[in-house]
Amino acid sequence: MTSRGEAESKRLRKLQAVVDAALAHLSVDDLLGALLPRVRDLLECDTCAVLLLDVEHNELVARAASGLEEAVERGVRIPVGRGFAGRIAAERRPVVIDQVHHAKVLNPIFREKGIHSLVGAPLAIDDRVLGVIHAGSLRPRLFRENDVALLELAASRVAIAIERALAYEALVRRDELRSSFVGVAAHELRTPVAVIYGISKTFEERWHDLDEQQREQLFQAFYSQSERLRLLVEQLLDLSRLDAHSVKVEPRRLSLRPRIEELVALVAEAGADIRIDVDPDLEAVLDPIALDHVVTNLLTNAIRYGSPPVTITAVARDTHYRIAVEDCGDGVPEEFVPRLFERFARSPKSRASGGAAGLGLAIALAYAQAHGGTVTYESAVPQGARFELVVPREST
């Protein structure tokens, strides 16, 4: 029979294996793929899973699992403060559930899988919670203090490794984005610059050979491409400032309806069917520059790619301000929706028009996020597109 000392020594070796694995990987997925089976083995459990915190939505998202892979496949999301994992993240302490079927858990997979007992701990560094790690047993089990202590120790090592891995992935993504950004930006700039240069050269060499109509057509093309170049340069500068976090959000009290009316007058042609459904007395504490950038981008898109009428609504509901721009066009093609807010992403309709470079929605989202909010899209009813700016009423 194995002595208690030998059992503890074996567990310590298993924990060291967890630590060694934590230090040997840079990719988050590779790291967790190596770690979770070892944590299962350490605690002699049937399942182990890690949920990482989505700060923007204040939810825990299943990122990796061993013996509970369905949670990742289904993209399980748990609000912080609710259910088993949400409670661990909110209270920042371990939680043990002896009988799952008697407890309030939000993840239906626990019951589907037949998990009987659970133990979980926060993945935290200093005062920051990165996520939650939990382990489960398919048979009745009472997790003891030493089980909890081992999981906490493993969680502390896992949290350090995850932070390093996330930082590494962020650097890789930033480098990839920078390379892609420079390449695509140069490509987008090339067309208007080439046209402007070509027209200038024509004027220099053939001015006296051109009749009045030809000169007028070239002037119009020159103006159009100059305007396109101006807009593109402004958008690139906007993104550069946002990426560098040099845009300082300064909320102040605004009367929303007059502000939106000014933006409509600036963007829409006279006589355009734009309907503003905003209470004249509605005030909001928002950064005016961020508001202007988001609303003008959404309104421009609705006018350019949608169909009238275009309706703008604004309400203060719960803890957020919600400003929506909705049109009655064909909406966004379903296959393009996942790429809506990507930089330089253009739908077939946008490409056919030969206009924008595909930066407007990316800039709108970036300004919303700088304000602590977001921009969402959904199909309008019965048809059309509906974009909504959602910003906290108490912005930081």
Side-chain angles (χ1 to χ4, degrees):
M1 182 177 292
T2 305
S3 69
R4 181 175 178 179
E6 291 174 338
E8 288 300 317
S9 178
K10 183 179 179 181
R11 277 191 144 186
L12 287 173
R13 287 195 298 272
K14 290 180 179 179
L15 178 59
Q16 187 59 47
V18 171
V19 175
D20 292 342
L23 299 175
H25 296 80
L26 290 175
S27 161
V28 174
D29 293 325
D30 289 345
L31 167 73
L32 295 177
L35 281 175
L36 296 192
R38 301 186 190 204
V39 176
R40 275 180 67 182
D41 189 35
L42 172 68
L43 294 172
E44 298 175 350
C45 288
D46 300 299
T47 69
C48 186
V50 162
L51 297 89
L52 296 183
L53 180 63
D54 177 349
V55 177
E56 180 181 337
H57 297 95
N58 200 32
E59 293 178 328
L60 295 164
V61 183
R63 180 66 183 261
S66 177
L68 202 65
E69 289 76 9
E70 297 92 332
V72 180
E73 293 170 2
R74 296 188 196 178
V76 168
R77 303 179 74 93
I78 306 295
V80 170
R82 298 184 58 196
F84 170 64
R87 179 183 164 196
I88 295 169
E91 298 179 5
R92 303 186 179 192
R93 65 177 183 84
V95 173
V96 174
I97 295 180
D98 295 328
Q99 295 182 324
V100 169
H101 63 280
H102 287 165
K104 291 182 179 179
V105 295
L106 295 185
N107 190 346
I109 299 174
F110 288 153
R111 293 191 174 92
E112 293 172 16
K113 194 80 175 179
I115 295 175
H116 193 283
S117 305
L118 284 166
V119 59
L123 297 168
I125 296 178
D126 299 326
D127 293 330
R128 293 182 298 112
V129 173
L130 303 181
V132 167
I133 184 170
H134 61 66
S137 173
L138 296 174
R139 63 187 185 280
R141 175 174 173 179
L142 295 176
F143 287 102
R144 308 292 184 182
E145 287 185 12
N146 61 332
D147 296 317
V148 176
L150 274 172
L151 182 60
E152 283 189 288
L153 189 54
S156 67
R157 304 293 184 179
V158 173
I160 293 172
I162 287 175
E163 183 183 48
R164 292 177 180 173
L166 289 174
Y168 173 77
E169 287 190 351
L171 284 174
V172 171
R173 283 196 302 272
R174 192 175 297 120
D175 287 342
E176 291 174 347
L177 180 61
R178 185 181 295 114
S179 298
S180 173
F181 182 82
V182 170
V184 178
H187 175 77
E188 292 292 336
L189 287 166
R190 183 184 303 157
T191 299
V193 168
V195 173
I196 291 169
Y197 174 79
I199 294 173
S200 301
K201 194 71 173 173
T202 301
F203 282 158
E204 180 186 34
E205 297 177 352
R206 298 182 52 209
W207 175 264
H208 296 292
D209 299 329
L210 301 173
D211 59 34
E212 192 64 30
Q213 183 179 1
Q214 290 172 324
R215 290 174 184 172
E216 180 62 27
Q217 289 174 343
L218 287 173
F219 270 126
Q220 288 299 321
F222 188 93
Y223 175 80
S224 174
Q225 293 301 319
S226 298
E227 180 65 15
R228 180 181 176 186
L229 182 61
R230 180 195 64 80
L231 177 61
L232 181 56
V233 170
E234 285 184 358
Q235 290 180 331
L236 292 174
L237 289 172
D238 264 340
L239 285 175
S240 177
R241 288 192 291 265
L242 287 162
D243 285 344
H245 304 290
S246 61
V247 173
K248 186 177 181 181
V249 174
E250 298 179 345
R252 60 185 177 85
R253 186 164 295 280
L254 302 172
S255 181
L256 281 183
R257 187 176 182 102
R259 190 84 184 190
I260 290 173
E261 288 173 345
E262 290 176 10
L263 297 177
V264 170
L266 180 68
V267 172
E269 295 181 359
D273 193 354
I274 312 291
R275 304 175 184 181
I276 303 175
D277 183 12
V278 179
D279 188 331
D281 296 325
L282 179 61
E283 293 187 337
V285 180
L286 296 171
D287 180 274
I289 295 176
L291 175 67
D292 292 358
H293 273 83
V294 177
V295 173
T296 53
N297 270 303
L298 299 184
L299 183 56
T300 299
N301 275 2
I303 295 170
R304 182 177 294 160
Y305 304 116
S307 296
V310 174
T311 303
I312 304 175
T313 60
V315 295
R317 187 168 65 243
D318 300 326
T319 58
H320 292 82
Y321 299 112
R322 299 176 180 272
I323 302 172
V325 177
E326 183 175 328
D327 67 72
C328 296
D330 297 329
V332 178
E334 186 176 346
E335 65 275 9
F336 186 70
V337 171
R339 299 191 61 212
L340 257 178
F341 297 97
E342 290 181 13
R343 300 177 182 195
F344 299 106
R346 291 189 290 178
S347 67
K349 189 172 184 179
S350 174
R351 290 184 182 280
S353 71
L359 291 174
L361 287 178
I363 291 172
L365 178 62
Y367 269 102
Q369 290 174 337
H371 211 306
T374 190
V375 177
T376 63
Y377 165 79
E378 62 181 353
S379 297
V381 178
Q383 67 180 45
R386 186 177 194 275
F387 289 87
E388 185 175 63
L389 167 65
V390 183
V391 181
R393 292 174 72 173
E394 295 296 329
S395 301
T396 56

